[in-house]
Amino acid sequence: MASRKRRSAQWFGREGKMGFIYRSWVKNRGVPQDQFDGRPVIGICNTYSELTPCNSHFRTLAEHVKTGVVEAGGFPLEFPVMSLGETLLRPTAMLYRNLASMDVEESIRGNPIDGVVLLMGCDKTTPSLVMGASSVDLPTIGVSGGPMLSGWYRGERIGSGTNVWSLSEQLRAGEITREEFHEAETCMHRSHGHCMTMGTASTMASMVEALGLGLPGNAAYPAVDARRNVIARMAGRRIVEMVKEDLKLSRILTREAFENAIRVNAAIGGSTNAVIHLIAIARRIGVELNLDDWDKLGRGVHTLVNLMPNGKYLMEDFCYAGGLPVVIRELGERGLLHRDALTANGRTIWDNSKDARNDNPEVIMPFAKPFKRDTGIAVLRGNLCPDGALIKPSAATPRLMKHKGRAVVFEDIEDFHRRIEDPKLDIDESCVMVLKNCGPKGYPGMAEVGNMALPAKILERGITDMVRISDARMSGTAYGTVVLHVAPESAAGGPLALVKEGDEIELDVGRRKLHLHVSDAELAKRRAAWKKPKPHLTRGYWKLYVDHVNQASDGADLDFLVGKSGAAVPRDNH
Ligand code: FES
């Protein structure tokens, strides 16, 4: 009979009527009695969905995990959770990240699971699963789905997202035909996997590895590389051991692990979305992490990887160059790593990385001769963002990092779309584009619209970047001098709501400053006249979300989800 110590024993180790119920239904697919002998029961949390194209190979991946679990003497039980596809889900997958995390948390806690393998790929599937699992805190290992193979179009690499922006700008500027545009669609995404730029999915897969939650190699092996399946199988084996060792997630997701991840994010030129997700995960597991940690820890860290959207290569190249362990070794050699941080394989992060060999220094540049210098995410403060705002210096234009300009203001994304191509729009490249009402409450869900497209009349003159400011997010595959996550957001009455056409705005990234040159008295007058925008919906999950979502600076989690409830077994229903 099952071990009395394990959670699963409280289901499968029971006798009498309840034991019969718990075991008998599971047996309906041919599970023999010996699987209930107390071996670790491993949940495989699967985000497979055809509506999440980046995770479309997860049935196969789950089979490899199962093989590993069985090989190590465990009993695998796969279960689906809400899957969030970045490209199809409206208004934005971010709106549902917290909902999916609730699904994950309750699915784990309510079931006979001793340890869990998280199968994650597309952007939000990683944070939602890790957040949910953190609130339970069982032994947990992460397996990312892996990036797609490189996109190739007419002899050139084309990267997910990144070249979507450039190709659509080329189409708008009349530089390519519609047929060429459609041809490029087919060439960009030609295998299973998630976006193969260093966008949010690749960033979060790197965070999984840097946090120690995944096995070495987790970030970069392409989805269709046999080594991805090996990682899945090894994770299946390892989680069984982790259960036996009682190696809970909270022993891996420590403050040191988050500090390592923040520095790794700077070194890979990772997505700004990681800031929100890591703060949310940290606060679930009980580690205090805030925006200032990002600014402080990222300082002095250089971007080493020459990957789109900041550079030229793609994740497949990163893999062949040696992948994330090379980056971690570089940081470890410069005192920028907590070397003793424990990882899922039971070794320290340094043991996992210290011998990593760089097989292509053009893709992963050495710290002494980096791709870009001092490129940690910068946290801005000022009267326009009392609770902070972000900019990703590695994706910005250096000459715009210190800039003063006249505001061109869009009240919301519809206003932007309506007016951006209006020939009468008074805008030139020295202006600062401001977008309101795209934050967590305002959109709702904090859409990735912060990198507003420039008007064609400016693009046609060969100008590709301007300072843009909003309470929105930006796709990790996007680039530009884009100030994001302004907090408090405009829909919550933040000063962003008070900006008017023609105001002067000053950005000084070096001094971490974002200032609206409007007097306090005038701002007070505008505040008195400000009216809260009407909510988009007044019922259902949207209402719950808008009523309870925290600001971006606090991870945009729902206020009542912060923290954890643990793994105690709920009472039964019979
Ligand atoms: Fe899924 Fe980019 S759309 S990772």
Side-chain angles (χ1 to χ4, degrees), residues 462-531:
I463 291 149
T464 54
D465 197 10
M466 286 171 62
V467 174
R468 288 158 274 178
I469 299 172
S470 72
D471 46 14
R473 294 177 302 119
M474 173 170 86
S475 163
T477 60
Y479 48 85
T481 310
V482 184
V483 176
L484 302 154
H485 307 191
V486 166
E489 63 174 301
S490 53
L496 187 69
L498 311 179
V499 181
K500 284 195 171 164
E501 195 81 13
D503 287 349
E504 189 173 65
I505 295 178
E506 184 181 358
L507 169 69
D508 187 341
V509 178
R511 292 172 58 211
R512 300 296 194 259
K513 178 177 159 188
L514 183 65
H515 189 78
L516 176 65
H517 284 277
V518 173
S519 70
D520 290 347
E522 170 63 17
L523 286 177
K525 215 164 88 191
R526 292 183 191 178
R527 177 167 300 288
W530 178 74
K531 284 194 180 59

Side-chain angles (χ1 to χ4, degrees), residues 329-407:
R329 174 181 56 72
E330 288 279 351
L331 295 177
E333 286 172 352
R334 270 137 196 103
L336 294 168
L337 187 80
H338 295 289
R339 292 182 174 195
D340 292 337
L342 183 63
T343 73
N345 66 0
R347 303 171 72 200
T348 67
I349 193 156
W350 182 242
D351 283 339
N352 288 342
S353 318
K354 64 181 191 303
D355 300 321
R357 199 184 61 222
N358 187 347
D359 287 325
N360 191 344
E362 219 185 293
V363 176
I364 309 176
M365 300 191 170
F367 200 89
K369 224 173 128 222
F371 176 52
K372 291 187 181 184
R373 298 197 82 84
D374 208 3
T375 44
I377 282 168
V379 176
L380 307 170
R381 302 275 177 184
N383 67 345
L384 193 47
C385 54
D387 292 340
L390 303 183
I391 187 165
K392 181 178 169 182
S394 61
T397 303
R399 73 179 164 75
L400 290 174
M401 302 267 274
K402 187 168 161 50
H403 182 82
K404 205 188 271 187
R406 168 172 63 85

Side-chain angles (χ1 to χ4, degrees), residues 9 20 34 46 52 59 103 114 124 131 139 182 194 205 218 238 242 292 337 418 446 495 520 527 545 551:
F20 184 101
D34 61 16
N46 199 342
T52 307
R59 283 175 167 167
D103 178 358
D114 300 312
K124 304 304 174 296
M131 287 163 70
H182 289 166
H194 60 68
N218 177 73
R238 178 59 193 149
M242 288 170 77
D292 292 332
L337 187 80
R418 212 165 29 239
M446 208 182 173
D520 290 347
R527 177 167 300 288
Y545 177 90
Q551 289 295 286

